[in-house]
Amino acid sequence: MTNTFLDSIKVRRSIYALDKNVSVEDSKIEELIKDAVKYSPSSFNSQSSRAVILLGENHDKLWNIVVDTLRAIVPAENFAATEEKVGSFRAGYGTVLFFEDNAVIEGLQENFALYADNFPIWSEQSSGIAQHSVWVALANAGIGASLQHYNPLIDDAVKAEWNIPASWNLRAQMPFGNIVQEAGEKEFIDDADRFRVFK
């Protein structure tokens, strides 16, 4: 039995060695990211996920913000390694910033009070699904990516730089670009430790 969906998700890996030599047109990249987020499921069809796509100078600017933010808190003797790591993300072609809109979540909490405590949890699940969908879509276009979490350290600077609505809550950053080096072999724990099947 073949399953093209499973074949697609098997292609997705964390790719850290990136450069800017992407052959896919910007318009196509934007379209696949938008579609991946748009068609990802969310609780109560809340559609709370938001994405900001940074290309060119805006992509570089984000990782400069990360470096400047970390420089203020990472000890000087350890900063070279930190700067090198962040530089590997800047070397990519673009970045997707993933947000969840708190205004949507709060509206659901007001309208469906019985589930109020669950909506923030379901929002995180929706965000994770959107992130995975974008990651797989990029991988299937031959574009490498990884998922980073410099929030909440960079939240205020990001909102100020790109005029992000106050209700948008930054959840993750996905640098992407041309694959310079493929990921290594992935190891899996034994199925017996992970799954239970009852017939």
Side-chain angles (χ1 to χ4, degrees):
M1 181 179 73
T2 60
N3 187 312
T4 54
F5 173 71
L6 290 178
D7 291 341
S8 292
I9 65 173
K10 289 174 183 177
V11 172
R12 184 224 53 84
R13 297 294 306 280
S14 293
I15 306 294
Y16 299 105
L18 303 170
D19 67 24
K20 300 183 187 299
N21 298 317
V22 170
S23 59
V24 182
E25 295 178 6
D26 288 355
S27 61
K28 296 295 185 185
I29 293 173
E30 293 170 27
E31 181 181 5
L32 71 84
I33 292 169
K34 289 176 182 178
D35 280 351
V37 173
K38 186 183 296 184
Y39 291 100
S40 292
S42 57
S43 65
F44 286 64
N45 194 30
S46 62
Q47 302 177 51
S48 56
S49 295
R50 306 287 182 262
V52 172
I53 305 167
L54 302 177
L55 302 171
E57 293 180 1
N58 285 289
H59 160 75
D60 293 342
K61 191 178 293 183
L62 170 74
W63 297 106
N64 290 339
I65 288 171
V66 173
V67 166
D68 292 343
T69 302
L70 294 178
R71 192 187 312 275
I73 59 175
V74 175
E77 61 272 18
N78 299 332
F79 189 70
T82 297
E83 190 169 26
E84 181 179 357
K85 180 180 179 182
V86 175
S88 71
F89 306 138
R90 188 194 299 111
Y93 186 77
T95 302
V96 185
L97 302 179
F98 292 93
F99 297 82
E100 283 291 298
D101 191 343
N102 283 335
V104 173
I105 298 160
E106 290 167 3
L108 288 166
Q109 289 176 310
E110 292 175 10
N111 292 326
F112 303 96
L114 184 64
Y115 306 109
D117 291 344
N118 287 319
F119 283 116
I121 299 169
W122 293 337
S123 166
E124 292 297 323
Q125 294 170 350
S126 296
S127 183
I129 293 169
Q131 292 162 30
H132 183 257
S133 296
V134 170
W135 204 344
V136 172
L138 288 170
N140 278 272
I143 299 171
S146 69
L147 195 64
Q148 306 301 319
H149 300 91
Y150 289 97
N151 45 291
L153 295 173
I154 62 171
D155 289 18
D156 292 342
V158 165
K159 285 187 173 183
E161 182 62 41
W162 289 285
N163 195 27
I164 305 297
S167 65
W168 290 22
N169 185 23
L170 183 61
R171 306 314 301 139
Q173 307 84 53
M174 184 178 288
F176 63 85
N178 178 57
I179 300 171
V180 175
Q181 182 178 343
E182 297 282 353
E185 190 69 25
K186 186 170 185 175
E187 297 182 1
F188 296 92
I189 64 173
D190 192 276
D191 283 358
D193 295 328
R194 198 168 192 178
F195 306 103
R196 296 288 186 271
V197 179
F198 299 94
K199 297 183 180 180

PDB file of all heavy atoms in Angstrom, residues 49-79:
ATOM      1  N   SER A  49      -4.299  30.553  14.054  1.00  0.00           N
ATOM      2  CA  SER A  49      -2.888  30.633  13.667  1.00  0.00           C
ATOM      3  C   SER A  49      -2.649  31.793  12.716  1.00  0.00           C
ATOM      4  O   SER A  49      -3.451  32.069  11.827  1.00  0.00           O
ATOM      5  CB  SER A  49      -2.438  29.326  13.001  1.00  0.00           C
ATOM      6  OG  SER A  49      -2.495  28.265  13.920  1.00  0.00           O
ATOM      7  N   ARG A  50      -1.522  32.463  12.903  1.00  0.00           N
ATOM      8  CA  ARG A  50      -1.097  33.576  12.060  1.00  0.00           C
ATOM      9  C   ARG A  50       0.342  33.309  11.632  1.00  0.00           C
ATOM     10  O   ARG A  50       1.119  32.682  12.366  1.00  0.00           O
ATOM     11  CB  ARG A  50      -1.165  34.909  12.815  1.00  0.00           C
ATOM     12  CG  ARG A  50      -2.533  35.220  13.441  1.00  0.00           C
ATOM     13  CD  ARG A  50      -3.555  35.605  12.401  1.00  0.00           C
ATOM     14  NE  ARG A  50      -4.844  35.957  12.977  1.00  0.00           N
ATOM     15  CZ  ARG A  50      -5.882  35.128  13.068  1.00  0.00           C
ATOM     16  NH1 ARG A  50      -5.761  33.874  12.635  1.00  0.00           N
ATOM     17  NH2 ARG A  50      -7.024  35.522  13.588  1.00  0.00           N
ATOM     18  N   ALA A  51       0.706  33.777  10.471  1.00  0.00           N
ATOM     19  CA  ALA A  51       2.077  33.591   9.982  1.00  0.00           C
ATOM     20  C   ALA A  51       2.584  34.883   9.353  1.00  0.00           C
ATOM     21  O   ALA A  51       1.844  35.564   8.629  1.00  0.00           O
ATOM     22  CB  ALA A  51       2.145  32.451   8.978  1.00  0.00           C
ATOM     23  N   VAL A  52       3.816  35.206   9.646  1.00  0.00           N
ATOM     24  CA  VAL A  52       4.507  36.334   9.018  1.00  0.00           C
ATOM     25  C   VAL A  52       5.680  35.745   8.246  1.00  0.00           C
ATOM     26  O   VAL A  52       6.499  35.016   8.814  1.00  0.00           O
ATOM     27  CB  VAL A  52       4.996  37.353  10.066  1.00  0.00           C
ATOM     28  CG1 VAL A  52       5.878  38.417   9.419  1.00  0.00           C
ATOM     29  CG2 VAL A  52       3.809  37.988  10.785  1.00  0.00           C
ATOM     30  N   ILE A  53       5.746  36.040   6.961  1.00  0.00           N
ATOM     31  CA  ILE A  53       6.798  35.514   6.098  1.00  0.00           C
ATOM     32  C   ILE A  53       7.835  36.606   5.869  1.00  0.00           C
ATOM     33  O   ILE A  53       7.517  37.671   5.347  1.00  0.00           O
ATOM     34  CB  ILE A  53       6.214  35.042   4.752  1.00  0.00           C
ATOM     35  CG1 ILE A  53       5.094  34.024   4.984  1.00  0.00           C
ATOM     36  CG2 ILE A  53       7.310  34.457   3.866  1.00  0.00           C
ATOM     37  CD1 ILE A  53       4.255  33.739   3.744  1.00  0.00           C
ATOM     38  N   LEU A  54       9.060  36.335   6.288  1.00  0.00           N
ATOM     39  CA  LEU A  54      10.151  37.303   6.150  1.00  0.00           C
ATOM     40  C   LEU A  54      11.126  36.827   5.088  1.00  0.00           C
ATOM     41  O   LEU A  54      11.657  35.718   5.171  1.00  0.00           O
ATOM     42  CB  LEU A  54      10.893  37.464   7.482  1.00  0.00           C
ATOM     43  CG  LEU A  54      10.055  37.908   8.692  1.00  0.00           C
ATOM     44  CD1 LEU A  54      10.921  37.935   9.946  1.00  0.00           C
ATOM     45  CD2 LEU A  54       9.424  39.271   8.451  1.00  0.00           C
ATOM     46  N   LEU A  55      11.353  37.660   4.085  1.00  0.00           N
ATOM     47  CA  LEU A  55      12.288  37.358   3.007  1.00  0.00           C
ATOM     48  C   LEU A  55      13.294  38.499   2.885  1.00  0.00           C
ATOM     49  O   LEU A  55      13.062  39.606   3.378  1.00  0.00           O
ATOM     50  CB  LEU A  55      11.535  37.165   1.686  1.00  0.00           C
ATOM     51  CG  LEU A  55      10.460  36.070   1.651  1.00  0.00           C
ATOM     52  CD1 LEU A  55       9.670  36.145   0.358  1.00  0.00           C
ATOM     53  CD2 LEU A  55      11.079  34.697   1.834  1.00  0.00           C
ATOM     54  N   GLY A  56      14.412  38.225   2.215  1.00  0.00           N
ATOM     55  CA  GLY A  56      15.402  39.271   1.944  1.00  0.00           C
ATOM     56  C   GLY A  56      15.931  39.926   3.202  1.00  0.00           C
ATOM     57  O   GLY A  56      16.268  39.260   4.185  1.00  0.00           O
ATOM     58  N   GLU A  57      15.974  41.254   3.187  1.00  0.00           N
ATOM     59  CA  GLU A  57      16.525  42.011   4.314  1.00  0.00           C
ATOM     60  C   GLU A  57      15.727  41.797   5.590  1.00  0.00           C
ATOM     61  O   GLU A  57      16.283  41.863   6.694  1.00  0.00           O
ATOM     62  CB  GLU A  57      16.571  43.497   3.970  1.00  0.00           C
ATOM     63  CG  GLU A  57      17.562  43.849   2.873  1.00  0.00           C
ATOM     64  CD  GLU A  57      17.577  45.336   2.571  1.00  0.00           C
ATOM     65  OE1 GLU A  57      16.821  46.088   3.229  1.00  0.00           O
ATOM     66  OE2 GLU A  57      18.351  45.745   1.681  1.00  0.00           O
ATOM     67  N   ASN A  58      14.425  41.557   5.455  1.00  0.00           N
ATOM     68  CA  ASN A  58      13.602  41.347   6.647  1.00  0.00           C
ATOM     69  C   ASN A  58      13.979  40.049   7.356  1.00  0.00           C
ATOM     70  O   ASN A  58      13.992  39.994   8.587  1.00  0.00           O
ATOM     71  CB  ASN A  58      12.119  41.344   6.259  1.00  0.00           C
ATOM     72  CG  ASN A  58      11.615  42.732   5.970  1.00  0.00           C
ATOM     73  OD1 ASN A  58      11.464  43.549   6.868  1.00  0.00           O
ATOM     74  ND2 ASN A  58      11.358  43.018   4.702  1.00  0.00           N
ATOM     75  N   HIS A  59      14.288  39.013   6.574  1.00  0.00           N
ATOM     76  CA  HIS A  59      14.774  37.759   7.154  1.00  0.00           C
ATOM     77  C   HIS A  59      16.072  38.003   7.926  1.00  0.00           C
ATOM     78  O   HIS A  59      16.214  37.577   9.077  1.00  0.00           O
ATOM     79  CB  HIS A  59      14.985  36.733   6.042  1.00  0.00           C
ATOM     80  CG  HIS A  59      15.892  35.609   6.396  1.00  0.00           C
ATOM     81  ND1 HIS A  59      15.534  34.556   7.214  1.00  0.00           N
ATOM     82  CD2 HIS A  59      17.193  35.376   6.042  1.00  0.00           C
ATOM     83  CE1 HIS A  59      16.551  33.717   7.353  1.00  0.00           C
ATOM     84  NE2 HIS A  59      17.564  34.194   6.646  1.00  0.00           N
ATOM     85  N   ASP A  60      17.019  38.681   7.288  1.00  0.00           N
ATOM     86  CA  ASP A  60      18.300  38.962   7.954  1.00  0.00           C
ATOM     87  C   ASP A  60      18.095  39.791   9.217  1.00  0.00           C
ATOM     88  O   ASP A  60      18.750  39.568  10.241  1.00  0.00           O
ATOM     89  CB  ASP A  60      19.241  39.705   6.997  1.00  0.00           C
ATOM     90  CG  ASP A  60      19.677  38.840   5.822  1.00  0.00           C
ATOM     91  OD1 ASP A  60      19.559  37.605   5.901  1.00  0.00           O
ATOM     92  OD2 ASP A  60      20.146  39.415   4.814  1.00  0.00           O
ATOM     93  N   LYS A  61      17.176  40.753   9.136  1.00  0.00           N
ATOM     94  CA  LYS A  61      16.913  41.643  10.264  1.00  0.00           C
ATOM     95  C   LYS A  61      16.426  40.860  11.482  1.00  0.00           C
ATOM     96  O   LYS A  61      16.812  41.162  12.620  1.00  0.00           O
ATOM     97  CB  LYS A  61      15.875  42.684   9.844  1.00  0.00           C
ATOM     98  CG  LYS A  61      15.696  43.823  10.825  1.00  0.00           C
ATOM     99  CD  LYS A  61      14.680  44.829  10.280  1.00  0.00           C
ATOM    100  CE  LYS A  61      15.221  45.530   9.040  1.00  0.00           C
ATOM    101  NZ  LYS A  61      14.259  46.570   8.562  1.00  0.00           N
ATOM    102  N   LEU A  62      15.590  39.850  11.245  1.00  0.00           N
ATOM    103  CA  LEU A  62      15.099  39.044  12.374  1.00  0.00           C
ATOM    104  C   LEU A  62      16.252  38.419  13.131  1.00  0.00           C
ATOM    105  O   LEU A  62      16.312  38.494  14.368  1.00  0.00           O
ATOM    106  CB  LEU A  62      14.158  37.938  11.885  1.00  0.00           C
ATOM    107  CG  LEU A  62      13.814  36.910  12.976  1.00  0.00           C
ATOM    108  CD1 LEU A  62      12.848  37.512  13.984  1.00  0.00           C
ATOM    109  CD2 LEU A  62      13.287  35.623  12.396  1.00  0.00           C
ATOM    110  N   TRP A  63      17.183  37.805  12.403  1.00  0.00           N
ATOM    111  CA  TRP A  63      18.264  37.096  13.080  1.00  0.00           C
ATOM    112  C   TRP A  63      19.279  38.053  13.678  1.00  0.00           C
ATOM    113  O   TRP A  63      19.956  37.716  14.660  1.00  0.00           O
ATOM    114  CB  TRP A  63      18.868  36.058  12.138  1.00  0.00           C
ATOM    115  CG  TRP A  63      17.806  35.058  11.802  1.00  0.00           C
ATOM    116  CD1 TRP A  63      17.122  34.927  10.630  1.00  0.00           C
ATOM    117  CD2 TRP A  63      17.227  34.106  12.709  1.00  0.00           C
ATOM    118  NE1 TRP A  63      16.162  33.948  10.738  1.00  0.00           N
ATOM    119  CE2 TRP A  63      16.202  33.426  11.997  1.00  0.00           C
ATOM    120  CE3 TRP A  63      17.472  33.757  14.029  1.00  0.00           C
ATOM    121  CZ2 TRP A  63      15.429  32.427  12.581  1.00  0.00           C
ATOM    122  CZ3 TRP A  63      16.708  32.752  14.610  1.00  0.00           C
ATOM    123  CH2 TRP A  63      15.702  32.098  13.890  1.00  0.00           C
ATOM    124  N   ASN A  64      19.339  39.276  13.157  1.00  0.00           N
ATOM    125  CA  ASN A  64      20.135  40.315  13.823  1.00  0.00           C
ATOM    126  C   ASN A  64      19.497  40.691  15.155  1.00  0.00           C
ATOM    127  O   ASN A  64      20.196  40.935  16.143  1.00  0.00           O
ATOM    128  CB  ASN A  64      20.256  41.556  12.925  1.00  0.00           C
ATOM    129  CG  ASN A  64      21.130  41.303  11.708  1.00  0.00           C
ATOM    130  OD1 ASN A  64      21.945  40.388  11.700  1.00  0.00           O
ATOM    131  ND2 ASN A  64      20.944  42.102  10.674  1.00  0.00           N
ATOM    132  N   ILE A  65      18.180  40.755  15.184  1.00  0.00           N
ATOM    133  CA  ILE A  65      17.462  41.021  16.436  1.00  0.00           C
ATOM    134  C   ILE A  65      17.755  39.921  17.453  1.00  0.00           C
ATOM    135  O   ILE A  65      17.998  40.192  18.636  1.00  0.00           O
ATOM    136  CB  ILE A  65      15.942  41.132  16.176  1.00  0.00           C
ATOM    137  CG1 ILE A  65      15.617  42.438  15.455  1.00  0.00           C
ATOM    138  CG2 ILE A  65      15.146  41.022  17.486  1.00  0.00           C
ATOM    139  CD1 ILE A  65      14.174  42.544  14.967  1.00  0.00           C
ATOM    140  N   VAL A  66      17.744  38.670  16.987  1.00  0.00           N
ATOM    141  CA  VAL A  66      18.026  37.548  17.891  1.00  0.00           C
ATOM    142  C   VAL A  66      19.441  37.667  18.455  1.00  0.00           C
ATOM    143  O   VAL A  66      19.652  37.511  19.669  1.00  0.00           O
ATOM    144  CB  VAL A  66      17.850  36.197  17.162  1.00  0.00           C
ATOM    145  CG1 VAL A  66      18.310  35.042  18.049  1.00  0.00           C
ATOM    146  CG2 VAL A  66      16.389  35.995  16.749  1.00  0.00           C
ATOM    147  N   VAL A  67      20.413  37.957  17.592  1.00  0.00           N
ATOM    148  CA  VAL A  67      21.802  38.089  18.049  1.00  0.00           C
ATOM    149  C   VAL A  67      21.924  39.213  19.069  1.00  0.00           C
ATOM    150  O   VAL A  67      22.540  39.045  20.134  1.00  0.00           O
ATOM    151  CB  VAL A  67      22.754  38.347  16.854  1.00  0.00           C
ATOM    152  CG1 VAL A  67      24.121  38.824  17.349  1.00  0.00           C
ATOM    153  CG2 VAL A  67      22.922  37.080  16.039  1.00  0.00           C
ATOM    154  N   ASP A  68      21.349  40.367  18.769  1.00  0.00           N
ATOM    155  CA  ASP A  68      21.442  41.509  19.685  1.00  0.00           C
ATOM    156  C   ASP A  68      20.779  41.210  21.018  1.00  0.00           C
ATOM    157  O   ASP A  68      21.274  41.612  22.080  1.00  0.00           O
ATOM    158  CB  ASP A  68      20.798  42.746  19.041  1.00  0.00           C
ATOM    159  CG  ASP A  68      21.585  43.267  17.850  1.00  0.00           C
ATOM    160  OD1 ASP A  68      22.771  42.892  17.702  1.00  0.00           O
ATOM    161  OD2 ASP A  68      21.006  44.034  17.051  1.00  0.00           O
ATOM    162  N   THR A  69      19.660  40.495  20.973  1.00  0.00           N
ATOM    163  CA  THR A  69      18.949  40.137  22.205  1.00  0.00           C
ATOM    164  C   THR A  69      19.769  39.172  23.048  1.00  0.00           C
ATOM    165  O   THR A  69      19.888  39.343  24.276  1.00  0.00           O
ATOM    166  CB  THR A  69      17.580  39.508  21.873  1.00  0.00           C
ATOM    167  OG1 THR A  69      16.804  40.434  21.098  1.00  0.00           O
ATOM    168  CG2 THR A  69      16.822  39.143  23.135  1.00  0.00           C
ATOM    169  N   LEU A  70      20.352  38.179  22.402  1.00  0.00           N
ATOM    170  CA  LEU A  70      21.126  37.181  23.134  1.00  0.00           C
ATOM    171  C   LEU A  70      22.446  37.736  23.651  1.00  0.00           C
ATOM    172  O   LEU A  70      22.937  37.317  24.701  1.00  0.00           O
ATOM    173  CB  LEU A  70      21.382  35.966  22.249  1.00  0.00           C
ATOM    174  CG  LEU A  70      20.146  35.153  21.852  1.00  0.00           C
ATOM    175  CD1 LEU A  70      20.535  34.007  20.927  1.00  0.00           C
ATOM    176  CD2 LEU A  70      19.415  34.625  23.077  1.00  0.00           C
ATOM    177  N   ARG A  71      23.011  38.694  22.911  1.00  0.00           N
ATOM    178  CA  ARG A  71      24.284  39.295  23.336  1.00  0.00           C
ATOM    179  C   ARG A  71      24.163  39.905  24.730  1.00  0.00           C
ATOM    180  O   ARG A  71      25.116  39.925  25.513  1.00  0.00           O
ATOM    181  CB  ARG A  71      24.719  40.362  22.335  1.00  0.00           C
ATOM    182  CG  ARG A  71      26.165  40.843  22.523  1.00  0.00           C
ATOM    183  CD  ARG A  71      26.498  42.024  21.622  1.00  0.00           C
ATOM    184  NE  ARG A  71      26.105  41.817  20.246  1.00  0.00           N
ATOM    185  CZ  ARG A  71      26.853  41.177  19.337  1.00  0.00           C
ATOM    186  NH1 ARG A  71      28.020  40.666  19.683  1.00  0.00           N
ATOM    187  NH2 ARG A  71      26.423  41.052  18.087  1.00  0.00           N
ATOM    188  N   ALA A  72      22.966  40.400  25.038  1.00  0.00           N
ATOM    189  CA  ALA A  72      22.743  41.054  26.330  1.00  0.00           C
ATOM    190  C   ALA A  72      22.607  40.067  27.484  1.00  0.00           C
ATOM    191  O   ALA A  72      22.727  40.463  28.646  1.00  0.00           O
ATOM    192  CB  ALA A  72      21.483  41.926  26.251  1.00  0.00           C
ATOM    193  N   ILE A  73      22.390  38.776  27.187  1.00  0.00           N
ATOM    194  CA  ILE A  73      22.156  37.826  28.277  1.00  0.00           C
ATOM    195  C   ILE A  73      23.113  36.640  28.286  1.00  0.00           C
ATOM    196  O   ILE A  73      23.242  35.968  29.314  1.00  0.00           O
ATOM    197  CB  ILE A  73      20.704  37.308  28.254  1.00  0.00           C
ATOM    198  CG1 ILE A  73      20.372  36.617  26.932  1.00  0.00           C
ATOM    199  CG2 ILE A  73      19.717  38.435  28.520  1.00  0.00           C
ATOM    200  CD1 ILE A  73      19.001  35.974  26.903  1.00  0.00           C
ATOM    201  N   VAL A  74      23.778  36.368  27.166  1.00  0.00           N
ATOM    202  CA  VAL A  74      24.705  35.235  27.110  1.00  0.00           C
ATOM    203  C   VAL A  74      26.091  35.708  27.535  1.00  0.00           C
ATOM    204  O   VAL A  74      26.571  36.736  27.048  1.00  0.00           O
ATOM    205  CB  VAL A  74      24.768  34.643  25.682  1.00  0.00           C
ATOM    206  CG1 VAL A  74      25.828  33.545  25.593  1.00  0.00           C
ATOM    207  CG2 VAL A  74      23.405  34.090  25.287  1.00  0.00           C
ATOM    208  N   PRO A  75      26.766  34.996  28.450  1.00  0.00           N
ATOM    209  CA  PRO A  75      28.115  35.392  28.865  1.00  0.00           C
ATOM    210  C   PRO A  75      29.047  35.529  27.666  1.00  0.00           C
ATOM    211  O   PRO A  75      28.985  34.741  26.719  1.00  0.00           O
ATOM    212  CB  PRO A  75      28.558  34.246  29.783  1.00  0.00           C
ATOM    213  CG  PRO A  75      27.278  33.647  30.281  1.00  0.00           C
ATOM    214  CD  PRO A  75      26.298  33.791  29.153  1.00  0.00           C
ATOM    215  N   ALA A  76      29.898  36.527  27.707  1.00  0.00           N
ATOM    216  CA  ALA A  76      30.780  36.841  26.571  1.00  0.00           C
ATOM    217  C   ALA A  76      31.617  35.640  26.142  1.00  0.00           C
ATOM    218  O   ALA A  76      31.834  35.421  24.946  1.00  0.00           O
ATOM    219  CB  ALA A  76      31.687  38.020  26.934  1.00  0.00           C
ATOM    220  N   GLU A  77      32.068  34.846  27.108  1.00  0.00           N
ATOM    221  CA  GLU A  77      32.928  33.709  26.782  1.00  0.00           C
ATOM    222  C   GLU A  77      32.171  32.602  26.039  1.00  0.00           C
ATOM    223  O   GLU A  77      32.777  31.736  25.411  1.00  0.00           O
ATOM    224  CB  GLU A  77      33.582  33.138  28.040  1.00  0.00           C
ATOM    225  CG  GLU A  77      32.633  32.600  29.096  1.00  0.00           C
ATOM    226  CD  GLU A  77      32.178  33.651  30.089  1.00  0.00           C
ATOM    227  OE1 GLU A  77      32.311  34.863  29.801  1.00  0.00           O
ATOM    228  OE2 GLU A  77      31.663  33.263  31.158  1.00  0.00           O
ATOM    229  N   ASN A  78      30.845  32.627  26.101  1.00  0.00           N
ATOM    230  CA  ASN A  78      30.035  31.618  25.411  1.00  0.00           C
ATOM    231  C   ASN A  78      29.354  32.158  24.153  1.00  0.00           C
ATOM    232  O   ASN A  78      28.675  31.401  23.450  1.00  0.00           O
ATOM    233  CB  ASN A  78      28.939  31.093  26.358  1.00  0.00           C
ATOM    234  CG  ASN A  78      29.508  30.431  27.591  1.00  0.00           C
ATOM    235  OD1 ASN A  78      30.604  29.894  27.558  1.00  0.00           O
ATOM    236  ND2 ASN A  78      28.776  30.470  28.686  1.00  0.00           N
ATOM    237  N   PHE A  79      29.541  33.437  23.880  1.00  0.00           N
ATOM    238  CA  PHE A  79      28.722  34.062  22.846  1.00  0.00           C
ATOM    239  C   PHE A  79      29.119  33.659  21.428  1.00  0.00           C
ATOM    240  O   PHE A  79      28.278  33.647  20.529  1.00  0.00           O
ATOM    241  CB  PHE A  79      28.745  35.588  22.979  1.00  0.00           C
ATOM    242  CG  PHE A  79      27.753  36.263  22.089  1.00  0.00           C
ATOM    243  CD1 PHE A  79      26.390  36.155  22.342  1.00  0.00           C
ATOM    244  CD2 PHE A  79      28.159  36.979  20.968  1.00  0.00           C
ATOM    245  CE1 PHE A  79      25.459  36.739  21.512  1.00  0.00           C
ATOM    246  CE2 PHE A  79      27.236  37.573  20.129  1.00  0.00           C
ATOM    247  CZ  PHE A  79      25.876  37.458  20.410  1.00  0.00           C
TER     248      PHE A  79
END
